[in-house]
Amino acid sequence: MDITEKKQIVKDTLAFMQEREMNSADMHRLSGVSEEYLSEMFKPNSEFKYNAGAGNTGDIPEKWFRMLADVISKSAEQELWKTIPTSQMKGIIATLEESKEFGYTRVIIGETGCGKTYFADKFVSKNPKENFKITVGSMDNISDLLDKILDALKLKHGKSKSKKMGDIIKNLKARRMKGEKPVLIFDEAEYMKIATLCNIKELHDHLHKYVSINLIGTDQLTDKLESLKKKNKAGMPQFYRRIKFGIRVLSPIDTSFKGFLNDIEDKSLVKFLQNNCDNYGELHDALLPIKRESMRTGEPMTERFARKVLQLPNL
């Protein structure tokens, strides 16, 4: 990475921060780049050096610039993969905006590969000071989930689960009282265990109309919630009643991929992608390396070229 690239990343970062009324401390919390490095990076005509002690200086490592680039969505992938306003995108964004405005709890259900995570990340990036996304893991227990929320809010971890929960509720309510509209987004929420869902019920009960809570997942999530309600698991019938009319099911994926393939002239390649990709995620995984290699080599994007890039046999 040369000095020109570093300067461009810093310029884009400053514009990103100005648009969102962020300061260096905010960017430190969001990106993980130390405030010492940020202070040096943001100096006019900076040479991107840091104090190494004993009167010595060193170059700020490239990884810190790359971390900034990731935050402001300047990666090569996002330059190649343009955002298309699909019906799923409109549904996700509209639901999150409504939830944020009124402090509602919402459950967003969509097919695998329809862009749930991608557009949730887009929503978070618009206001990272108020919007927080937590990715649920299949092995997460209650304590794991609370730790992830604390990390997202940049809070110290309490010793007990009740202390952690209390700190989270207190922090989020305080944010609302200051005029913020905090949003918690739990992605891949179908992985939540029974005890974890009970945890979410407690958050909902304490934060309803103060904080927006959103569970995003596949229909496995609604199946689990309905099953737990029918089995009369502790707290689940009450929680289901609270969220029943807040469930939003996204429309099915359009596998003609309208809008995604407009820049492809080779009709056989278009047909190939339509026949072999079942969702937007698979289209992304197939099309991105094709576009990247086409830009690198100058070769036109054809079905034959795509098969070569993807290491698939020619027909």
Side-chain angles (χ1 to χ4, degrees):
M1 182 181 292
D2 60 28
I3 191 72
T4 302
E5 290 177 281
K6 293 177 181 179
K7 287 183 177 180
Q8 187 61 51
I9 289 172
V10 170
K11 180 180 177 181
D12 292 339
T13 301
L14 290 170
F16 177 93
M17 293 167 60
Q18 182 177 8
E19 182 181 349
R20 293 159 179 79
E21 299 182 351
M22 295 172 64
N23 56 32
S24 295
D26 295 326
M27 180 51 67
H28 159 63
R29 288 192 293 269
L30 183 63
S31 67
V33 179
S34 76
E35 292 189 70
E36 179 187 355
Y37 284 158
L38 289 174
S39 176
E40 184 57 45
M41 289 174 171
F42 294 160
K43 287 180 180 178
N45 304 314
S46 174
E47 295 182 354
F48 306 128
K49 304 284 187 180
Y50 72 96
N51 183 355
N56 299 317
T57 61
D59 292 323
I60 296 176
E62 287 186 9
K63 74 171 186 177
W64 303 111
F65 293 91
R66 298 192 191 282
M67 288 168 70
L68 291 180
D70 286 342
V71 169
I72 59 175
S73 301
K74 297 299 291 186
S75 68
E77 176 176 325
Q78 294 202 354
E79 290 296 315
L80 289 171
W81 184 257
K82 302 299 182 183
T83 299
I84 304 298
T86 63
S87 62
Q88 293 79 23
M89 182 204 82
K90 294 173 184 177
I92 291 168
I93 298 301
T95 300
L96 292 175
E97 287 179 344
E98 177 208 30
S99 176
K100 178 181 178 71
E101 180 65 24
F102 299 105
Y104 291 157
T105 294
R106 291 288 180 257
V107 178
I108 301 174
I109 302 299
E111 300 170 85
T112 297
C114 75
K116 299 186 297 296
T117 296
Y118 181 81
F119 292 120
D121 286 338
K122 285 284 187 183
F123 180 83
V124 169
S125 70
K126 287 184 179 180
N127 190 350
K129 292 177 66 176
E130 296 183 7
N131 303 339
F132 307 97
K133 193 188 83 168
I134 294 92
T135 300
V136 181
S138 61
M139 301 293 289
D140 285 352
N141 57 31
I142 295 174
S143 187
D144 295 328
L145 185 70
L146 293 174
D147 286 345
K148 286 184 177 183
I149 299 172
L150 290 166
D151 288 341
L153 297 175
K154 308 300 181 187
L155 298 177
K156 293 182 179 179
H157 293 200
K159 291 184 178 181
S160 68
K161 289 189 285 289
S162 61
K163 178 67 166 62
K164 293 175 183 180
M165 176 68 81
D167 289 343
I168 291 167
I169 292 168
K170 182 179 178 181
N171 178 270
L172 289 170
K173 280 189 173 182
R175 287 171 179 267
R176 187 74 177 196
M177 292 299 99
K178 289 192 299 183
E180 295 183 15
K181 294 179 178 179
V183 178
L184 287 180
I185 300 171
F186 296 93
D187 194 21
E188 300 187 21
E190 66 268 22
Y191 288 124
M192 285 186 175
K193 296 177 172 61
I194 296 174
T196 308
L197 285 167
C198 290
N199 221 211
I200 296 299
K201 175 189 177 294
E202 186 175 348
L203 278 175
H204 167 89
D205 291 346
H206 284 285
L207 298 175
H208 182 53
K209 296 188 178 180
Y210 286 95
V211 177
S212 162
I213 298 175
N214 300 271
L215 308 184
I216 300 180
T218 65
D219 57 7
Q220 293 175 346
L221 174 59
T222 45
D223 289 346
K224 181 179 289 187
L225 288 168
E226 289 173 2
S227 175
L228 293 173
K229 180 195 71 170
K230 290 177 181 177
K231 291 178 180 178
N232 203 30
K233 293 292 183 181
M236 285 301 100
Q238 298 91 325
F239 183 53
Y240 189 85
R241 181 191 65 75
R242 288 166 172 77
I243 64 170
K244 180 178 179 179
F245 293 106
I247 298 173
R248 302 289 183 265
V249 180
L250 304 175
S251 59
I253 294 170
D254 173 15
T255 51
S256 70
F257 302 122
K258 183 178 179 181
F260 288 92
L261 307 176
N262 292 350
D263 59 344
I264 298 178
E265 297 180 1
D266 185 73
K267 300 303 180 185
S268 64
L269 176 55
V270 171
K271 192 72 173 177
F272 166 80
L273 292 169
Q274 291 172 334
N275 288 340
N276 288 278
C277 298
D278 294 330
N279 53 59
Y280 304 131
E282 289 184 5
L283 181 69
H284 169 276
D285 293 345
L287 190 52
L288 197 66
I290 296 168
K291 284 188 172 186
R292 187 182 289 120
E293 189 65 9
S294 177
M295 290 183 66
R296 188 185 72 82
T297 64
E299 291 188 56
M301 292 192 295
T302 64
E303 180 182 356
R304 184 178 184 84
F305 176 73
R307 287 180 175 277
K308 182 176 72 174
V309 172
L310 299 175
Q311 298 184 24
L312 297 174
N314 285 312
L315 298 180

